[in-house]
Structure formats: structure tokens, C-alpha cells
Amino acid sequence: MTDPDFSTAPLDVVVIGAGVAGMYAMHRLREQGLRVHGFEAGSGVGGTWYFNRYPGARCDVESFDYSYSFSEELQQEWDWSEKYAAQPEILSYLDHVADRFDLRSGFTFDTRVQSAQFDEASSTWRVRTDGGHDVTSRFVVCATGSLSTANVPNIAGRETFGGEVFHTGFWPHEGVDFTGKRVGVIGTGSSGIQSVPLIAEQAEHLFVFQRSANYSVPAGNTPLDDKRRAEIKADYAERRALSKRSGGGSPFVSDPRSALEVSEAERNAAYEERWKLGGVLFAKTFADQTSNIDANATAAAFAEAKIRSVVEDQAIADLLIPNDHPIGTKRIVTDTDYYQSYNRDNVSLVDLKSAPIEAIDEAGIKTADAHYELDALVFATGFDAMTGALDRIEIRGRSGETLRENWHAGPRTYLGLGVHGFPNLFIVTGPGSPSVLSNMILAAEQHVDWIADAIEHLDSNGIDTIEPSAEAVDTWLEECSRRASATLFPSANSWYMGANIPGKPRIFMPFIGGFGVYSDICADVAAAGYRGFELN
Ligand code: N01
């Protein structure tokens, strides 16, 4: 596809990224009559679902909820085959959406934005790419994703490994056949835990290198039949309304009581019900589960018993039971047969807490007490979350300051949407918004709608720029920090806290007050004439 002629006049909007947020931004902003163009590093749409093709990749939000709500026809016509959709089905869905709304024509693919610089005299952004584009635009919408910049730990000798090397977040499109191979997986977050059972089915031997154990709840995935699909579709409006008012963007609410005020029998019955429902919702069985350590301990004990009941060797179960964070304060993983994998003869758990990795060499991994010979190595080591993708673009604001400099002590936004000193730059599901704590598709829609309305407001009032005031950013940071401090989340060494990246400032990045609450705040800000933003 050839690019449009960028030289005739400034674009209205450059969209960075063609994942779920960038795709909707392209649709919504075009519908508003704006001249929009997007750049995407991948060769196709889908973002996370384009890149994360590792075996077992599956969404942990139910498929009917993890889908666009903006088009009633779209949500009625698409048929999900499973309760929790796997990556190939989600990518087909996103490809379908791109075709149906002609979104691909708005993007240049295989192209990474390298820099964006604001010019105060013309109130425009100059955006340059690694494909040689040099484009002027009134607005920039960063739909760059929260988990899109791979973290590959700098382990001594990493480059010397003689076998195949993969990162779960950038999996080969043609798939990988591990048959007959000795495979090492480093990392036991969602990506590692989801891929282990499938790699174990193929590999001659699988070594799972675990630094910290994580809590995982079985997905309880089931096929969806016509009857179930019809039931959900008949009630879609109500389901969406509940999701949009909820804390996490799906139609499930916690029991408002404390886990400690009900009897043990009632509490365990509630946990059992959530456990069967599957996935991360277990963390929200009772309202105080992630704010009261004693309430949390009851959920942790329940999960521990579940792990022990599956894993045959209790010494291995001991290692698989987390002991360094309250349950739910790192994202609970949604798995299929993860713990069962450790009952296989060809799977070994390598405990890095007792014997850390010392080096990678040509033949494999050397820990403090052994050497593991490997044919293939899988880094399931996560991402430089929430700030990584923005950090690698040279974004320069009004005074020439870079976003990187502005965020040197941690990300500073107002509502996660805008940054002081960076007029007309919008971030979708950025730090300071519910983002990764919510259903990312509904969160992206809410943000993009807000951004589109803001641009409409500017255009209909002859206003050139919108930029959060310094005070609004300070106040919002305090608000986010106050809300996070009232929970157990800051006590975990999670990627929410930036703790997985050496040297990254330690700050709880998402807004934890809930998706519904947050949406109301954004609506209220707009209704009050964009309170906290300077309009010029
Ligand atoms: O990454 P992670 P992820 N040596 O950061 C380990 C979403 N997601 O890709 O905990 C040894 O969670 C690290 O150990 P530790 C979801 O939101 C969703 O799995 O730092 N180990 C950890 O075990 C998720 O939370 C789905 O001690 C090292 C692992 O690598 C987020 O993406 C599926 C190491 C990284 O875990 C990220 O998940 C997949 C080192 N030097 C992802 N460095 C769904 O289900 C890191 N580790 C929708």
C-alpha cells in the first residue's frame, strides 16, 4: 500500500501503533472527519496479539468481554468459539475488524516511529520514522501498548548460546517445533506459565527456571455453543453496561463483604466458585482481598491447597507456592494444566532462589549449583511495562525536554492521558489510567472516545492546543499514589511497580480506583470544560 501525500497539509492526527487501541483510534477519529495516519512496527494489525504467538497464549478476560463494544453489528455478528479465546482467534477477530472498517488503509506497516517533536510556533508535531517519513500533525495519539517492549535480561554470556533463542513476546509466525529438544524456559509469569504445558508436550525435556513463584488459577476454559452465544448476545447491552461500571472492565463484581466477616465454610465456597469460574477473577472474590493482609491470607491458603492437591511431589509444590507477595498483587496467571506439568517425567523445576543463574554459555545455562544443557532457550521474561514503548521514542515537548527526562523519576501524567509540557500528545491506556488493571479493549475505547471528544471540543471552539497543567499532574499523581497505598499492591516486586527492570523508578503505575470510577472522573473533567487542562 502506498502512503498518502503527507506534504500537502499537516495531518490532524498521527496514531502510533495498530493494536486494539490504535485500530479503534483510526476508526473513531476518521469517523470524526479528521485526516489521520498511523504507523505500526509489525507487518499487520493486532499489537500484542500480533506478536505474542507463543504456544498457549490466551486471553485471561472472557472473549465476549474482551472485544470491541463500539459497533452493535460487530458484536452481534462475531462468534467466539471459546470462553477464553486463544491468540489465533483473537488475531483473526482483529483482522476481521480491520477489514470490516477498512483500517489497514490508514496505517503504514513495518515502520517504527523514531521521534516526535513539538513545534511551539506552529502548534504541530513533527513525526519521523525509521522508514524515512517526516510528517507534520496537529495531534499525536500514542497507542503504543503497555506490554510491548520485551525485557531480555542481561545475563552474562547471553549472546554465546549455541541453540535457538526465543522471547514469548516476539514468537516466530511459523511456530516452533520443540520435538526431541532439551528446552529451557526462563520466567514463570503469565507467558511462561501458559507456554510450559504445551512445550512440555513436545520437548524431550523441559527445564523451567523459576526465580519467583506466581499464583495461577486454571482458566476453566470451555467451548461456547450456539445456545450460550445467543444468550450472551441477547443480553450484551446489560453485560457491557456492567463492565463499564465495574472495577476491572468485565461484568463481575466482588462480594462487598470482608473475607473475614463470613464463616470459613462460606468463604471457601465463594473461593471455590470463583476458582471454577477461572482466571484472574479469583483475586476479586471479596472486596478486601487485596487491601487487607489477613483477608488476603485466606485466599492465599485456598490457592496453596489447590496447588498441593495437583502437584504430586510436595517438595516441588513447596517451590511452586509463592511466598514473597500477597495473592493478586502480581497479576494472577490464567493457565491450562500448568501445575499438572510438574507431574511429568520430562519437566524439571529449577529453583533460582536457591541457586541463581550465573551465566549462559554455548551449551546451556549455568546456575550456582549445576549446568543445564539445552538445545533451545525461551525467554518468558516479560516487558518493560507501561513506559517502555514510549521511552524508546524520542518525544520532545514544548521546551525541548524529552518525555524520558520528564519521567526520569517515574511516569507523570494527568489521567494517564496527557503530560504537562507535551501539548496535543495523548496516551492511550498509559500510566496513571486503569490500563493493565482493566479490560484493555474497553479501556482503549473509553480513552479514544475521550480524546476524540476533546479534539472535537478544540476544533469547534477554535482552540489550537490542550495540555495538562503542572498542578493537575501533581494532584493526579498524589491521587494515584494515595489509592495505591491503601492496597497491598505496592508491597509486591511487580512490573506494575517497575520492579522487573533494573534501575526503573519504583512507583505503582496504573490508577487503581477502578475502571468505572475512572471513566466517571474523565467524563466529569470534560464536562467541566476540561478541568486541569490548559486550552490555548
Ligand atoms: O512477564 P512477567 P509475562 N532471571 O513480567 C522472570 C500480560 N500477559 O510476559 O518474578 C530469571 O509477568 C520473572 O521473575 P521475577 C499479563 O498482564 C497476559 O509472563 O522477576 N528470571 C518472571 O517470572 C502479565 O502479567 C497474558 O522473579 C527472570 C518472568 O520472568 C504480563 O503480560 C499472557 C529474569 C516474567 O514475568 C507480563 O507477563 C501473557 C532473570 N534475569 C502475558 N528476569 C494473558 O493471559 C525476569 N525473570 C492474557
Side-chain angles (χ1 to χ4, degrees):
M1 196 161 301
T2 51
D3 288 333
D5 181 2
F6 295 122
S7 63
T8 48
L11 290 166
D12 291 312
V13 189
V14 162
V15 175
I16 311 179
V20 294
M23 289 170 66
Y24 181 56
M26 180 59 60
H27 173 68
R28 177 72 164 79
L29 297 167
R30 271 177 169 178
E31 290 274 290
Q32 199 157 300
L34 297 168
R35 200 166 161 246
V36 191
H37 193 77
F39 296 101
E40 162 59 46
S43 304
V45 297
T48 280
W49 301 106
Y50 177 86
F51 288 105
N52 284 263
R53 299 176 189 231
Y54 61 85
R58 190 180 290 284
C59 189
D60 57 4
V61 179
E62 289 191 30
S63 48
F64 269 96
D65 303 315
Y66 190 83
S67 52
Y68 289 113
S69 70
F70 70 87
S71 162
E72 176 62 11
E73 297 75 34
L74 173 66
Q75 65 181 14
Q76 288 297 334
E77 78 196 11
W78 184 263
D79 283 336
W80 292 105
S81 71
E82 292 182 282
K83 181 175 167 190
Y84 291 100
Q87 175 272 333
E89 187 170 13
I90 299 173
L91 187 58
S92 317
Y93 166 75
L94 295 173
D95 276 330
H96 167 77
V97 174
D99 291 338
R100 197 185 191 290
F101 298 96
D102 180 31
L103 303 181
R104 269 180 257 274
S105 62
F107 285 97
T108 305
F109 292 94
D110 299 307
T111 303
R112 197 173 272 289
V113 170
Q114 287 183 317
S115 66
Q117 181 155 10
F118 187 70
D119 174 47
E120 204 159 7
S122 59
S123 295
T124 56
W125 284 91
R126 186 168 180 190
V127 178
R128 293 183 230 212
T129 76
D130 63 1
H133 304 87
D134 187 346
V135 176
T136 305
S137 177
R138 294 165 56 218
F139 300 94
V140 171
V141 172
C142 300
T144 38
S146 302
L147 294 158
S148 54
T149 303
N151 168 42
V152 183
N154 197 13
I155 299 170
R158 194 184 72 198
E159 309 302 335
T160 64
F161 182 61
E164 297 170 292
V165 181
F166 307 97
H167 188 284
T168 47
F170 294 88
W171 203 258
H173 289 200
E174 63 282 10
V176 181
D177 184 2
F178 290 110
T179 308
K181 299 204 166 128
R182 297 161 300 175
V183 184
V185 171
I186 303 181
T188 49
S190 298
S191 305
I193 286 180
Q194 288 191 332
S195 59
V196 157
L198 288 158
I199 297 178
E201 279 175 16
Q202 287 188 339
E204 180 194 305
H205 201 94
L206 172 61
F207 297 93
V208 182
F209 293 87
Q210 171 187 279
R211 191 166 61 182
S212 315
N214 242 311
Y215 288 101
S216 189
V217 176
N221 190 33
T222 49
L224 294 168
D225 58 18
D226 285 342
K227 182 166 168 288
R228 182 70 188 129
R229 279 194 287 263
E231 279 167 9
I232 296 174
K233 285 183 184 181
D235 203 24
Y236 229 143
E238 177 59 17
R239 195 173 174 108
R240 293 299 198 186
L242 272 173
S243 298
K244 288 177 184 179
R245 285 199 302 273
S246 73
S250 67
F252 298 95
V253 286
S254 305
D255 186 324
R257 293 172 298 173
S258 164
L260 302 173
E261 76 184 68
V262 299
S263 70
E264 190 178 348
E266 193 178 349
R267 187 165 60 227
N268 284 337
Y271 286 145
E272 188 64 42
E273 196 182 314
R274 280 288 168 125
W275 194 269
K276 288 204 181 103
L277 195 58
V280 289
L281 294 168
F282 179 76
K284 297 181 181 176
T285 312
F286 292 98
D288 62 349
Q289 226 171 292
T290 46
S291 56
N292 176 327
I293 192 68
D294 296 327
N296 189 278
T298 65
F302 184 91
E304 174 173 339
K306 287 285 186 191
I307 297 169
R308 290 199 181 284
S309 72
V310 175
V311 179
E312 288 162 8
D313 182 337
Q314 290 303 300
I316 298 201
D318 285 344
L319 296 175
L320 289 168
I321 292 163
N323 58 13
D324 64 352
H325 66 280
I327 184 167
T329 56
K330 286 181 165 185
R331 191 171 182 90
I332 290 189
V333 181
T334 301
D335 75 277
T336 304
D337 295 340
Y338 174 62
Y339 294 114
Q340 287 83 343
S341 303
Y342 294 98
N343 298 335
R344 298 176 65 109
D345 291 337
N346 73 331
V347 176
S348 307
L349 181 65
V350 181
D351 174 30
L352 300 179
K353 278 264 158 71
S354 58
I357 293 179
E358 288 186 341
I360 295 175
D361 58 29
E362 196 188 346
I365 292 183
K366 182 179 176 334
T367 66
D369 65 4
H371 185 272
Y372 299 87
E373 299 222 335
L374 303 171
D375 303 304
L377 183 52
V378 175
F379 285 96
T381 43
F383 303 90
D384 183 356
M386 304 201 73
T387 56
L390 291 167
D391 200 42
R392 64 180 172 182
I393 304 173
E394 190 78 2
I395 300 175
R396 281 189 190 276
R398 211 165 12 89
S399 63
E401 182 190 38
T402 61
L403 191 66
R404 214 174 288 136
E405 286 159 354
N406 191 283
W407 288 7
H408 72 276
R412 299 177 52 79
T413 72
Y414 178 38
L415 303 172
L417 281 160
V419 183
H420 178 66
F422 297 76
N424 291 2
L425 179 88
F426 295 109
I427 303 169
V428 185
T429 61
S433 79
S435 186
V436 289
L437 299 178
S438 62
N439 172 343
M440 290 299 273
I441 298 197
L442 296 190
E445 285 183 335
Q446 183 266 340
H447 262 186
V448 167
D449 286 340
W450 191 97
I451 292 164
D453 289 346
I455 294 176
E456 172 66 31
H457 176 81
L458 264 58
D459 286 353
S460 52
N461 290 285
I463 300 164
D464 289 334
T465 60
I466 179 168
E467 175 189 343
S469 70
E471 297 70 37
V473 171
D474 285 343
T475 309
W476 186 246
L477 270 182
E478 279 162 27
E479 174 77 15
C480 290
S481 158
R482 183 184 63 77
R483 286 179 184 263
S485 307
T487 74
L488 302 171
F489 278 79
S491 65
N493 285 324
S494 64
W495 56 259
Y496 298 136
M497 295 290 299
N500 64 326
I501 303 294
K504 190 164 173 172
R506 198 183 164 99
I507 173 170
F508 188 80
M509 293 184 282
F511 170 82
I512 203 167
F515 180 55
V517 169
Y518 171 82
S519 302
D520 286 347
I521 294 172
C522 290
D524 189 50
V525 163
Y530 294 89
R531 187 179 55 235
F533 287 92
E534 291 161 358
L535 309 181
N536 289 301

